[in-house]
Amino acid sequence: MALKFLVGSYTSYITALSFSGNSLSVISQSNAGWNPSWVTGHPTNKSVIYSNQEQSWGQVYSFLVNPTTGQLTQIDSTPTGGADPAHLLALSSGTELYVTNYSGGSGLSIPLGSSVTDLPSTNGPVNQFYGSGPNQSRQTSPHPHQAIQYNNEILVPDLGADKVWRLTKSGSSWSIGGSVQQPAGSGPRHAVVVDSNLYTIHELDNTLTQHTLPPLNSGTPQLIASLSILPPGAPTTLSGGELLVSPKNSLYPDQYLYATNRNDPDPNGDTIAIFKVKPSLQLVAQVRTKLKHIRGAAIGGPNGEYLVAA
């Protein structure tokens, strides 16, 4: 059975690809606005996806997906309340999105209509983040880079402020309830949570960190480990990109973290650093991809047996 997946870009297109056996082919391209760099699906309605518009007048678009061709039909759009939205989360409730504005230093909850493709023409106030870091070329202001759901919280890695923000909801509004401090100048980009531990990939210092993540107001997160994601001999000018955690099932009882490197001058391309998490965080492999500047990756297949990088 062929696997189909969608790839965002820094062009005007979202591309649908088909993978079968050892063959990867383009099956369609859809005009999707301007810099649709992040794509996320609705948690229950698999015919609906959302994409950012990474530009100074940030927007989110909703689309219907043709299940055969992957062709997209745009349905609606809404402003994000800030510049250069870099990431978009569809919450498991299926009733709202959360978008992070990288240059705007803010985040926004977007309620979904009953059809889940309907987006509001206007939105409520943004969550404005704050702070800076020691890297004067990249950290003069907050730069939220991702939003992930963790129990009843939204976690937001902030590359500019060296924090992972912890947002909580009261009524229909999200607010900052706390944060997990990251190493100075590290530039946290993306994160995952495994067994109440927060793992964060850092764009600026090429590390993967592990922190404890106690419930809010019941203890201070503690740094447990900090490991390099770079392959041996690689220049420090590389930068971390994506961080994934493998699913846990009967075929794959042990979970691993996959951290992507970017801009490796090696002719065999960027690497994906693979870490085991039990009994402690440890690098187990570096896999060359023959790709340049890996920005996004995903795990798919019926049992999570494939990793797709772009």
Side-chain angles (χ1 to χ4, degrees):
M1 180 182 68
L3 298 176
K4 299 183 180 73
F5 49 95
L6 298 170
V7 181
S9 70
Y10 282 97
T11 67
S12 298
Y13 297 99
I14 292 175
T15 301
L17 301 175
S18 177
F19 175 72
S20 180
N22 293 319
S23 175
L24 182 65
S25 59
V26 174
I27 56 175
S28 67
Q29 279 192 315
S30 302
N31 194 307
W34 185 258
N35 292 344
S37 63
W38 196 267
V39 178
T40 192
H42 189 270
T44 58
N45 189 334
K46 301 306 180 184
S47 66
V48 176
I49 68 157
Y50 311 94
S51 177
N52 63 340
Q53 303 286 293
E54 194 169 338
Q55 55 190 350
S56 58
W57 56 97
Q59 289 186 306
V60 167
Y61 284 5
S62 63
F63 299 90
L64 285 175
V65 186
N66 182 303
T68 302
T69 66
Q71 197 73 39
L72 305 181
T73 301
Q74 184 192 338
I75 302 300
D76 210 346
S77 65
T78 190
T80 66
D84 299 318
H87 191 269
L88 182 63
L89 166 70
L91 275 76
S92 61
S93 65
T95 61
E96 67 178 311
L97 308 173
Y98 195 87
V99 60
T100 52
N101 297 304
Y102 179 84
S103 296
S106 61
L108 176 71
S109 170
I110 301 173
L112 297 175
S114 58
S115 73
V116 305
T117 56
D118 294 336
L119 303 175
S121 57
T122 60
N123 289 296
V126 299
N127 297 120
Q128 187 63 54
F129 303 110
Y130 56 89
S132 59
N135 187 322
Q136 291 302 297
S137 65
R138 298 291 307 277
Q139 293 186 306
T140 57
S141 62
H143 293 306
H145 215 301
Q146 186 196 32
I148 62 172
Q149 188 172 2
Y150 171 61
N151 296 334
N152 60 348
E153 299 180 40
I154 292 177
L155 306 180
V156 179
D158 189 332
L159 186 148
D162 285 329
K163 294 181 184 296
V164 175
W165 300 103
R166 304 181 71 171
L167 307 185
T168 58
K169 195 172 189 180
S170 177
S172 61
S173 300
W174 291 91
S175 61
I176 298 173
S179 65
V180 181
Q181 183 65 49
Q182 302 296 310
S186 62
R189 179 182 172 93
H190 282 190
V192 299
V193 178
V194 181
D195 295 335
S196 299
N197 283 269
L198 175 69
Y199 297 89
T200 309
I201 188 172
H202 299 270
E203 180 173 335
L204 301 184
D205 73 354
N206 307 299
T207 59
L208 174 66
T209 57
Q210 175 188 0
H211 286 82
T212 59
L213 195 60
L216 277 168
N217 304 316
S218 65
T220 301
Q222 300 295 316
L223 177 64
I224 302 300
S226 178
L227 301 179
S228 173
I229 65 172
L230 295 177
T236 57
T237 52
L238 274 62
S239 61
E242 182 62 288
L243 181 64
L244 304 174
V245 59
S246 62
K248 190 174 184 179
N249 53 45
S250 59
L251 289 181
Y252 303 103
D254 297 322
Q255 288 185 288
Y256 291 86
L257 301 179
Y258 300 86
T260 66
N261 287 291
R262 298 186 294 171
N263 304 323
D264 195 318
D266 189 285
N268 290 311
D270 294 336
T271 68
I272 298 175
I274 305 174
F275 296 82
K276 68 177 183 179
V277 296
K278 302 292 185 181
S280 61
L281 188 64
Q282 181 180 342
L283 177 70
V284 296
Q286 290 275 2
V287 178
R288 291 283 175 188
T289 63
K290 295 191 176 181
L291 298 174
K292 293 293 185 184
H293 197 81
I294 298 175
R295 188 176 189 273
I299 293 174
N303 296 292
E305 64 267 43
Y306 296 106
L307 189 151
V308 182

